[in-house]
């Protein structure tokens, strides 16, 4: 049985999802917030893993996904930048990935986890900005993005309900992007 209680026979071919090297991969379709759907259901196309983008392409693609209400997918774009970008920017991209996952959890109804990740991501991006001396790396408005995250964390805790990811998407480059 799988970790969610489904049997391997529920999967196409009855086997575990594996790539060519034998590593586990979950081919199960997902919704726009990254939640697994039943096999055979129409899901949202997954972000390809390991894509190397320029920082500007990363920000543009992540913003597009956030605007579409797909913060889980935006997190995957930030994760690619975190893993493939220069070492000195890893914490910036990791913090942005945490913000996107925080929004994902807040939209899924995991309010405590969402608020925690939003605050952690805000702190990480601000710490990176302070340490690097850059307050608008690749056009990202760190101060406004961190303020958005903290405000949303406070809101989900106060209101006690999930948010619409599309309506609450941040503007990474500020109000003008």
């Amino acid at each position: 049985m799988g970790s969610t209680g489904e049997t391997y026979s529920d999967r196409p071919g009855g086997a575990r999802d594996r790539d060519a090297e034998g590593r586990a991969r979950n081919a199960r379709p997902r919704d726009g917030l990254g939640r697994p759907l039943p096999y055979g259901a129409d899901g949202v196309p997954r972000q390809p893993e390991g894509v190397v983008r320029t920082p500007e392409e990363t920000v543009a693609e992540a913003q597009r996904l956030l605007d579409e209400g797909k913060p889980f997918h935006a997190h995957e774009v930030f994760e690619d930048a975190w893993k493939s970008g220069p070492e000195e920017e890893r914490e910036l991209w990791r913090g942005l990935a945490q913000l996107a996952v925080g929004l994902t959890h807040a939209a899924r109804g995991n309010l405590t986890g969402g608020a925690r990740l939003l605050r952690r991501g805000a702190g990480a991006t601000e710490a990176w900005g302070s340490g690097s001396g850059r307050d608008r790396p690749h056009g990202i408005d760190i101060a406004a993005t961190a303020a958005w995250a903290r405000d949303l964390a406070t809101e989900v805790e106060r209101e006690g309900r999930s948010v619409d990811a599309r309506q609450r998407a941040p503007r990474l480059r500020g109000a003008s992007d």
Side-chain angles (χ1 to χ4, degrees):
M1 292 196 54
S3 62
T4 59
E6 83 277 8
T7 63
Y8 296 136
S9 62
D10 294 339
R11 297 181 177 146
R16 295 182 70 191
D17 299 326
R18 299 281 175 179
D19 66 12
E21 286 81 40
R23 289 186 301 263
R25 296 282 185 229
N26 191 342
R28 197 166 170 183
R30 305 255 173 182
D31 71 6
L33 292 174
R35 293 176 290 215
L37 298 170
Y39 284 97
D42 288 331
V44 172
R46 304 272 310 257
Q47 285 298 118
E49 291 184 39
V51 176
V52 177
R53 298 173 182 86
T54 67
E56 289 72 22
E57 291 168 335
T58 295
V59 175
E61 179 65 2
Q63 187 67 66
R64 180 186 70 77
L65 292 163
L66 289 164
D67 291 346
E68 291 178 2
K70 299 175 185 170
F72 178 81
H73 298 78
H75 134 269
E76 292 178 329
V77 170
F78 288 135
E79 192 171 90
D80 282 341
W82 159 20
K83 292 178 178 178
S84 68
E87 181 68 32
E88 64 271 10
E89 290 188 355
R90 290 186 97 166
E91 291 305 307
L92 168 67
W93 301 116
R94 188 173 75 120
L96 291 167
Q98 289 171 333
L99 293 175
V101 171
L103 177 56
T104 300
H105 282 285
R108 287 178 176 178
N110 175 2
L111 307 181
T112 300
R116 185 176 299 127
L117 282 162
L118 287 162
R119 287 191 179 101
R120 186 180 305 153
T125 56
E126 286 176 324
W128 182 88
S130 293
S132 71
R134 296 168 62 192
D135 60 349
R136 289 191 66 92
H138 313 296
I140 302 165
D141 187 335
I142 290 179
T145 302
W148 161 85
R150 287 193 176 95
D151 289 348
L152 184 57
T154 299
E155 176 187 322
V156 298
E157 288 173 331
R158 181 184 64 241
E159 300 294 325
R161 65 175 187 262
S162 61
V163 298
D164 182 306
R166 184 185 308 236
Q167 289 179 350
R168 295 311 314 263
R171 304 303 310 160
L172 299 171
R173 291 185 166 143
S176 63
D177 79 348

